[in-house]
Structures are given as structure tokens and as C-alpha cells.
Amino acid sequence: MRVNRILLSASLVVVALVIQVTVLARLHLPGAVPDLLLLTVLGLALVYGHVGGALVGFGAGLLADLAPPADHAAGRYALVLCVIGYLAGLAKPENGRLRSATGPMAVVVVAALGTTLLYAGVGALVGDTAARHVGLPGLLFTAALYDLLLAPFVVPGVMALARRAENDPLAEANAAGQKPDISSGWLSGGTGLRIGSQRNGLRVKAARARVARAGRIKGVKRL
């Protein structure tokens, strides 16, 4: 990974982990805890792709495994987020544009469910059956619900920061006042950037104006 990717990813992961441990974990919500760390990994994976998503997920998970008050074996959450980051990176659009919020929202729901199931499955392999006593169906429902509600406030911002750090043309066009893509307007239901079609439309209008002007000039000469 590039240096700017590493610095940005490390900063966002640390901030997300601190907020999750000091704020979200103390809300005592029923069921699961909103996973801000997972949403950060998803936002970066949708920009960096499957390889970058796997690396970011592994680093974020390992940091969460070592940070207090972790009460599980080190490497457990690192494995889970590595797999989730890799799979989420496969959903990265080839042209870099997200035409609607449906795709990212589906990724968030699937990732929330997959993270809970993988975490419980890995725990069962090492003898941790806490998920059974708490109630796995309730954990799945609340995890998907909390992450889906929090995602519009986290994932678009993370994606915008990642693109800006990458000197992405999409981010530069957004900053210049062009029509923003869905990552910078998740709730507005945007349709993405269409810079090429806008330019073609302007060219067609300019050509028509020149033809009309030439026709008027010829008409005057004939008179």
C-alpha cells in the first residue's frame, strides 16, 4: 500500500476505534454494539479494492483485538475483518462511481451479518459460546440495524477522504463544483458523475448555436 493510504487508513482506524470503545460501547444499546470500525473498513475497501480492503481490515481487526477491554483471543477479529474487507473490496465499482446508495447499503447489511456470523463461528472453534447465550438472531438483527443507521454518516465521508488522498479525479471534480457522486451525497440519492455526457451536451449546444448564427448571417447577405 502507498504511504498516503497507510497514514490515512491508520488515522481513520484509530479514531473509529477510540470512538467505538469510549462512546458507542457505553451506550448499552440492546443487542449488538454499532461497529464504527467495520464501517470505516468498508468505506476504505470500496475505494482501495479487495487487496487494500483485506490489509486495512486485518490491521483494524488486530488493533481491536489488542485494545482494551478486549476479552477474546488476539487475531480473532483481525481474521473476520480481513475477510470482510476483501469481499467488500470486490464490490468496488470499476469506473469509481457509485450510481445509487442501494449497492453500498447492501454491502453494509451483508457485512454486518457476515461479521457477526464469522465472529461467532471463529469463537465456536476456539470454545467461546457466548453468542449462543446472548442470542445469535438478536445480535444479527441489531448489528445490521445499527450499522445501517450509522452508515450514511460514516461510509461516504471515509470514501471522500480516501479519494482525496489518492488525488482521485472524481474527488477533484466534486471539489470544483461538479455534480457529486453518491459517496458525497449518500442521503440525497444522487446518480453519480456524468462529466463526459455534460461536456458532449455543451458541445452539441455550441455547434447548434454556430449553425443558427451562420444561417442568420447568410440570410442577411441574401437580402
Side-chain angles (χ1 to χ4, degrees):
M1 294 181 69
R2 301 175 183 176
V3 176
N4 56 345
R5 286 189 178 187
I6 295 175
L7 294 177
L8 178 63
S9 301
S11 302
L12 293 176
V13 165
V14 170
V15 171
L17 182 60
V18 170
I19 294 176
Q20 182 166 329
V21 172
T22 59
V23 179
L24 298 179
R26 298 185 180 184
L27 294 178
H28 301 293
L29 297 173
V33 176
D35 201 338
L36 184 60
L37 194 62
L38 170 64
L39 297 178
T40 303
V41 172
L42 293 180
L44 293 173
L46 289 174
V47 176
Y48 295 158
H50 58 283
V51 176
L55 294 175
V56 173
F58 178 81
L62 185 60
L63 186 61
D65 288 331
L66 301 177
D71 56 353
H72 54 268
R76 180 176 171 183
Y77 201 49
L79 174 62
V80 172
L81 283 188
C82 179
V83 174
I84 295 298
Y86 179 86
L87 296 178
L90 295 176
K92 173 188 175 182
E94 295 181 359
N95 57 1
R97 295 181 296 185
L98 298 174
R99 296 185 177 180
S100 70
T102 304
M105 289 174 66
V107 171
V108 170
V109 173
V110 173
L113 297 176
T115 300
T116 305
L117 289 174
L118 283 175
Y119 188 81
V122 175
L125 293 177
V126 297
D128 184 1
T129 59
R132 297 180 182 178
H133 301 292
V134 175
L136 187 58
L139 285 177
L140 290 173
F141 175 76
T142 53
L145 178 62
Y146 296 154
D147 291 348
L148 189 60
L149 292 176
L150 190 60
F153 305 99
V154 178
V155 178
V158 172
M159 293 179 65
L161 288 174
R163 284 176 173 174
R164 188 173 295 276
E166 289 282 296
N167 294 323
D168 195 310
L170 288 177
E172 295 177 358
N174 292 342
Q178 296 289 344
K179 189 175 180 181
D181 71 328
I182 195 65
S183 67
S184 61
W186 184 300
L187 294 178
S188 63
T191 57
L193 288 171
R194 296 193 184 95
I195 298 175
S197 61
Q198 290 175 358
R199 288 178 178 173
N200 292 333
L202 292 176
R203 290 174 181 173
V204 171
K205 291 181 180 179
R208 290 177 179 175
R210 288 194 296 268
V211 171
R213 190 181 304 111
R216 289 194 298 269
I217 294 173
K218 291 180 180 179
V220 172
K221 289 182 178 180
R222 288 175 183 175
L223 293 177

